[in-house]
Amino acid sequence: MNSTDIIGVLEGDGGRITATFTWTNVAVAASFILVNVAISTWMGLKLEGPLIISSLRCVIQLTIMGLILQDVFAARNPYYVAFLTTVLILLSTYETVYNKSERTWHGMVLLVNTAFSTLLIGIIGTRWAMKEKDFWEPQIFIPTIGLLLGITASSMAVSLDSCLTEVTKNQGRIETYLSYGATRFEAGRSVAIDAVRLAMLPTINRMSIVGLITIPGTMTGQILSGAPIMNAVRYQEIISFMISASSGIAVLGVVAVSISNSSCFTRH
């Protein structure tokens, strides 16, 4: 392959999936879960139930999402997009509060942080970074918000769990600082720094290895659907920076509110 051919591959179409997938194909792929079930049984991990339940949830949830997206994409109605975005934010907040973090706090705080960070970065990024005049275009905006919510929710859960755990462990030291006249921010500064750092490190590490060790799912999906390879690369770069900013804003917000609220120092 000469240099002209290489350039043509990079700037032209990527690979295309020509097969039409059926439930038989899904069933074949689902059989791979039996590998994990076998490992769990052999090692006595007692994860067989959660594996099967999560697999069923994966199929059911994705199928329902696909049916909904078909109608929303066909309608191209901004009100439908706004409604679906709201539902995704609410579900993401619920998942963070009840499933992702061992220690939970006010759901409203997480809801506001999740909505503010993802909508702010999602709208700005879609409108200007992706050059979509109608930023609410469902084919662009909903998948983008979904990507932001997935990583942001995990980052918030990590920061919240770390913050509340460290506050509980260091309650005596924090109360000593407070008794000497320190503000809540001064007393909890080291806890906040560690929580934010811990939550942001996965995003930083993800960006540092992308394209070197891993090919991200977003980029892979674009290439397999036939998008020009370099266009898929640039889209992935845009999404990576948006995810980083959204996670940072959400993590900083939830940690700041946790530290600033006096009940945080006595809540267990």
Side-chain angles (χ1 to χ4, degrees):
M1 179 180 290
N2 58 37
S3 59
T4 303
D5 295 331
I6 295 175
I7 294 174
V9 170
L10 291 176
E11 296 295 345
D13 287 346
R16 293 182 183 274
I17 299 177
T18 57
T20 299
F21 297 121
T22 65
W23 288 114
T24 302
N25 302 111
V26 176
V28 171
S31 65
F32 300 151
I33 296 296
L34 296 177
V35 175
N36 291 339
V37 172
I39 293 173
S40 177
T41 303
W42 177 56
M43 299 187 67
L45 302 178
K46 298 181 179 179
L47 292 176
E48 300 88 339
L51 279 169
I52 295 173
I53 292 174
S54 63
S55 300
L56 292 174
R57 283 189 59 181
C58 175
V59 173
I60 294 171
Q61 290 167 184
L62 283 175
T63 301
I64 294 174
M65 174 63 73
L67 295 173
I68 294 173
L69 288 179
Q70 282 183 336
D71 293 336
V72 173
F73 285 7
R76 295 188 71 249
N77 188 315
Y79 295 105
Y80 291 172
V81 175
F83 175 76
L84 184 55
T85 301
T86 301
V87 171
L88 291 175
I89 291 174
L90 290 172
L91 291 175
S92 175
T93 303
Y94 177 87
E95 187 74 12
T96 303
V97 171
Y98 293 103
N99 294 331
K100 286 185 177 293
S101 179
E102 294 182 1
R103 294 172 178 266
T104 60
W105 207 51
H106 301 304
M108 184 57 66
V109 173
L110 296 179
L111 176 61
V112 172
N113 272 282
T114 302
F116 177 77
S117 61
T118 54
L119 290 177
L120 175 66
I121 300 302
I123 292 173
I124 293 176
T126 305
R127 174 63 183 85
W128 282 282
M130 299 183 190
K131 299 174 65 175
E132 287 289 334
K133 185 176 180 180
D134 296 328
F135 69 85
W136 53 266
E137 191 70 33
Q139 287 88 342
I140 301 295
F141 189 71
I142 292 177
T144 299
I145 288 294
L147 288 169
L148 295 181
L149 284 173
I151 306 299
T152 299
S154 297
S155 298
M156 289 176 63
V158 170
S159 64
L160 184 64
D161 187 66
S162 173
C163 181
L164 298 184
T165 299
E166 290 303 312
V167 163
T168 303
K169 288 181 179 179
N170 298 282
Q171 185 172 353
R173 177 171 61 84
I174 292 173
E175 289 177 347
T176 300
Y177 288 155
L178 292 172
S179 66
Y180 278 96
T183 64
R184 288 190 291 267
F185 280 109
E186 291 170 340
R189 185 173 184 273
S190 61
V191 172
I193 290 175
D194 290 342
V196 173
R197 184 191 300 274
L198 182 65
M200 293 185 67
L201 277 176
T203 302
I204 295 173
N205 292 336
R206 192 179 299 109
M207 288 194 297
S208 67
I209 66 173
V210 66
L212 181 65
I213 301 174
T214 64
I215 299 178
T218 307
M219 177 178 165
T220 301
Q222 292 249 331
I223 293 174
L224 290 177
S225 66
I229 294 178
M230 291 310 298
N231 200 56
V233 168
R234 295 178 188 117
Y235 177 76
Q236 180 62 55
E237 291 166 350
I238 292 170
I239 287 294
S240 296
F241 298 143
M242 290 174 65
I243 289 174
S244 178
S246 177
S247 299
I249 293 172
V251 166
L252 182 61
V254 74
V255 170
V257 173
S258 298
I259 293 296
S260 66
N261 193 297
S262 59
S263 64
C264 185
F265 297 120
T266 58
R267 194 180 182 97
H268 299 278

